[in-house]
């Protein structure tokens, strides 16, 4: 009886202590995580010089690399959300008013364009890069073909005739970041923006930017080398996100659908792709990591070729970053194209 009475006491008190301290630790961890993720104002005030909003992943990556510890980078859309469809929360739109600048790409995410206008937030628009280097959407329906290898020529913007739905981003390919030399060009813009907003730290931003440029140079060199000698140069993809990549490394992109990842390929286009896959002896159709691969997989299965992932790097997984995904994309390309 005595033992029975004491036993639970002896056992339970340490448990309560352990549980209590665990709960305390969890509560503390919970608090700090919540602070840094949701409360931009306080985390920014602590020890950073600038609060910068970023509209999608590659812009975030550049902001983080150049800003380092000095910049609080706030993503406007949650990690993992496909940026084409991005909606902004009312809180995000409110927060934008207190951001020092917002990095975005106009005509890509209408919700961001709208919020820029309503908040009057300062912004750095990457659109001039696609104006200068624009890879045009291949208009399958209208029978225009792939003679758009004029890297520096100004291409006409035909936004009005874009036939897809309301979150289409015009007929210029927005995915400039898949050419690392264009992301390097963009990095120069971000460096200038941060230095103007925070001249006291311009030297640090500049040093961070040169490290980024070194990395981008290196990845560009490994693409040039790695794709120099290949058995094939046609890449068959789901939606045509790889125009700049194709331009930079002399590949030809054939997409089941156009620039809009949600567009369904037409039966005629599916037949066309199937024929091209057979004619070119392709061994691979590429699907995207974050977009449903149904169409690409169905065609691949039909003609008996492999499916490999080629990411448009619009989002990345938690344990990935731009350079890492560029490298795995290169491996997928080298495998699929039979590069030596
Ligand atoms: Zn896209």
């Amino acid at each position: 009886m005595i033992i029975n009475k004491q036993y639970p006491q002896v056992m339970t008190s340490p448990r309560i202590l352990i549980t209590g301290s665990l709960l305390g630790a969890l509560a503390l961890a919970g608090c700090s995580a919540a602070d840094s993720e949701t409360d931009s104002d306080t985390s920014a005030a602590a020890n950073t010089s600038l609060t910068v909003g970023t509209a999608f992943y590659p812009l975030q990556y550049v902001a983080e690399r150049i800003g380092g510890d000095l910049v609080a980078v706030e993503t406007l859309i949650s990690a993992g959300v496909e940026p084409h469809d991005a909606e902004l929360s009312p809180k995000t739109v409110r927060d934008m008013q207190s951001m020092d600048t917002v990095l975005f790409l106009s005509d890509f995410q209408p919700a961001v364009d709208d919020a820029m206008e309503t908040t009057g937030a300062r912004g750095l628009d990457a659109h001039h890069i696609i104006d200068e280097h624009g890879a045009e959407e291949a208009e399958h329906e209208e029978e225009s073909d792939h003679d758009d290898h004029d890297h520096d020529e100004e291409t006409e913007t035909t936004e009005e005739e874009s036939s897809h739905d309301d979150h289409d981003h015009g007929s210029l390919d927005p995915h400039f970041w898949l050419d690392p030399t264009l992301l390097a060009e963009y990095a120069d813009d971000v460096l200038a923006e941060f230095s103007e907003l925070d001249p006291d730290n311009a030297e640090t931003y500049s040093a961070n930017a040169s490290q980024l440029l070194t990395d981008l140079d290196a990845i560009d060199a490994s693409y040039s080398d790695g794709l120099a000698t290949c058995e094939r140069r046609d890449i068959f993809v789901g939606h045509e996100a790889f125009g700049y990549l194709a331009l930079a490394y002399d590949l030809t992109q054939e997409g089941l659908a156009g620039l809009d990842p949600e567009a369904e390929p037409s039966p005629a286009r599916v037949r066309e792709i199937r024929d091209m896959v057979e004619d070119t002896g392709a061994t691979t159709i590429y699907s995207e990591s974050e977009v449903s691969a149904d169409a690409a997989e169905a065609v691949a299965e039909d003609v008996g070729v492999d499916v490999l992932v080629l990411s448009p790097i619009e989002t990345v997984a938690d344990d990935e970053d731009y350079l890492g995904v560029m490298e795995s994309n290169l491996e997928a390309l080298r495998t699929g194209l039979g590069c030596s």
Side-chain angles (χ1 to χ4, degrees), residues 82-84 108 169 173-175 177 239-241 259-261 288 291 312 314:
E82 210 268 308
H84 292 250
F108 180 48
H169 30 62
D173 183 347
H175 310 85
W177 53 91
H239 97 280
E240 298 187 327
L259 287 166
D260 184 342
E288 291 176 26
V291 174
E314 291 174 337

Side-chain angles (χ1 to χ4, degrees), residues 70-122:
L70 294 168
V71 171
V73 175
E74 305 289 335
T75 55
L76 302 188
I77 54 171
S78 317
V81 173
E82 210 268 308
H84 292 250
D85 306 321
E87 294 295 331
L88 302 182
S89 74
K91 180 183 187 310
T92 299
V93 176
R94 262 196 325 275
D95 287 350
M96 282 170 69
Q97 293 166 7
S98 56
M99 291 174 184
D100 293 296
T101 188
V102 175
L103 310 187
F104 74 113
L105 173 62
S106 59
D107 295 334
F108 180 48
Q109 299 164 291
V112 175
D113 291 351
D114 290 349
M116 290 305 294
E117 207 171 296
T118 54
T119 60
R122 174 175 171 132

Side-chain angles (χ1 to χ4, degrees), residues 5-227:
K5 264 193 175 174
Q6 279 179 336
Y7 194 61
Q9 276 180 334
V10 173
M11 285 305 286
T12 50
S13 50
R15 268 203 200 175
I16 287 164
L17 280 176
I18 290 165
T19 312
S21 64
L22 267 179
L23 280 176
L26 285 173
L28 281 174
C31 277
S32 58
D35 278 350
S36 62
E37 267 172 34
T38 60
D39 201 326
S40 59
D41 298 336
T42 52
S43 68
N47 45 20
T48 55
S49 297
L50 296 175
T51 300
V52 172
T54 55
F56 55 97
Y57 176 72
L59 311 187
Q60 173 197 338
Y61 177 74
V62 171
E64 287 172 348
R65 289 288 310 262
I66 296 180
D69 299 335
L70 294 168
V71 171
V73 175
E74 305 289 335
T75 55
L76 302 188
I77 54 171
S78 317
V81 173
E82 210 268 308
H84 292 250
D85 306 321
E87 294 295 331
L88 302 182
S89 74
K91 180 183 187 310
T92 299
V93 176
R94 262 196 325 275
D95 287 350
M96 282 170 69
Q97 293 166 7
S98 56
M99 291 174 184
D100 293 296
T101 188
V102 175
L103 310 187
F104 74 113
L105 173 62
S106 59
D107 295 334
F108 180 48
Q109 299 164 291
V112 175
D113 291 351
D114 290 349
M116 290 305 294
E117 207 171 296
T118 54
T119 60
R122 174 175 171 132
L124 181 68
D125 185 353
H127 202 276
H128 73 97
I129 293 178
I130 69 175
D131 287 337
E132 285 158 29
H133 303 277
E136 273 180 284
E137 176 176 21
E139 299 278 355
H140 318 123
E141 299 89 349
E142 288 162 35
E143 214 47 55
S144 83
D145 49 21
H146 282 254
D147 54 359
D148 52 351
H149 286 251
D150 43 343
H151 211 92
D152 289 314
E153 210 173 287
E154 184 89 11
T155 45
E156 71 268 60
T157 44
T158 50
E159 273 146 286
E160 296 317 318
E161 72 176 65
S162 69
S163 53
H164 309 302
D165 53 14
D166 56 355
H167 56 255
D168 190 294
H169 30 62
S171 55
L172 283 176
D173 183 347
H175 310 85
F176 70 88
W177 53 91
L178 295 172
D179 175 349
T181 67
L182 297 188
L183 195 63
E185 212 172 286
Y186 176 67
D188 285 338
D189 291 354
V190 175
L191 171 61
E193 178 78 346
F194 288 5
S195 304
E196 188 184 327
L197 288 165
D198 180 23
D200 290 352
N201 288 308
E203 262 178 50
T204 307
Y205 297 134
S206 175
N208 292 346
S210 357
Q211 281 179 358
L212 173 58
L213 295 186
T214 303
D215 289 345
L216 293 174
D217 267 359
I219 198 82
D220 175 46
S222 47
Y223 267 71
S224 295
D225 295 349
L227 298 171

